[in-house]
Amino acid sequence: TYFLNYAKKNYEAKRYGLILWDHGGGAVSGFGYDENDPDEEETLTIDNTEKETMEIQTIMNAWKNGDIETLKKILDVDYTSNQKLNKRIKEELIIKRNKEMADNIEKILANEDKNYFIIVGAGHLVSEKNIIELLEKTGKYKIKRY
């Protein structure tokens, strides 16, 4: 709730939204915990919270410092050893969704007299054909890191 309260206090808007949809792969490798998954390294548990917190801090520091290479090393993962399949997965999970999210952000920002606080997964900011590149490519936006 800290994050939501911070956003509300510092970024006034008429509406707020938080979407945790299939974040990074769902309960197996993204948001949440899957008690049926025998591989606890891939799920968020009490035991590995400190490690995950450190990785999140590394991601945040890299973003603030403009260290895109570190972000790519952490966030640009292979989903399988089969490179052909891996390419298709990245196309569906990242690249296609980047385009959809950028298009939706443009629709939201079309109403210029309002302020918006928009959150996306960090991987969508540094991946191939990322959201920032797509928005800046239109010539309408200049993105700043905070």
Side-chain angles (χ1 to χ4, degrees):
T1 60
Y2 170 81
F3 180 73
L4 296 174
N5 290 331
Y6 175 86
K8 191 172 181 180
K9 178 181 173 188
N10 293 286
Y11 300 93
E12 186 178 327
K14 288 187 178 184
R15 292 184 286 169
Y16 297 88
L18 178 64
I19 300 171
L20 297 173
W21 172 80
D22 194 35
H23 187 262
V28 176
S29 63
F31 172 77
Y33 172 71
D34 182 356
E35 65 277 359
N36 298 310
D37 184 3
D39 187 0
E40 288 193 13
E41 286 295 312
E42 295 297 322
T43 58
L44 184 57
T45 64
I46 298 292
D47 295 334
N48 67 13
T49 301
E50 184 176 338
K51 175 183 157 237
E52 296 299 324
T53 301
M54 288 173 41
E55 186 169 275
I56 290 168
Q57 190 62 51
T58 300
I59 290 169
M60 289 172 54
N61 288 338
W63 174 254
K64 287 179 188 176
N65 295 322
D67 187 354
I68 303 304
E69 290 309 310
T70 294
L71 286 169
K72 285 181 179 179
K73 285 178 189 171
I74 295 170
L75 300 169
D76 187 19
V77 299
D78 286 338
Y79 299 93
T80 176
S81 59
N82 178 324
Q83 289 307 305
K84 187 174 179 181
L85 180 57
N86 194 53
K87 186 176 179 178
R88 286 185 58 209
I89 291 170
K90 285 184 179 183
E91 179 69 34
E92 291 296 321
L93 286 180
I94 305 294
I95 296 171
K96 249 186 183 177
R97 286 176 52 210
N98 286 351
K99 175 77 171 111
E100 291 170 6
M101 286 189 276
D103 290 346
N104 285 329
I105 289 169
E106 278 215 86
K107 288 175 189 172
I108 292 168
L109 296 178
N111 191 346
E112 295 177 10
D113 64 332
K114 294 183 179 180
N115 294 320
Y116 296 95
F117 184 76
I118 299 170
I119 304 167
V120 299
H124 297 283
L125 301 175
V126 297
S127 62
E128 179 184 349
K129 299 179 185 174
N130 65 66
I131 293 172
I132 292 173
E133 287 175 5
L134 294 171
L135 290 172
E136 287 183 334
K137 199 177 200 179
T138 67
K140 300 179 204 172
Y141 310 103
K142 182 177 180 190
I143 313 295
K144 295 191 289 186
R145 281 188 296 280
Y146 288 98

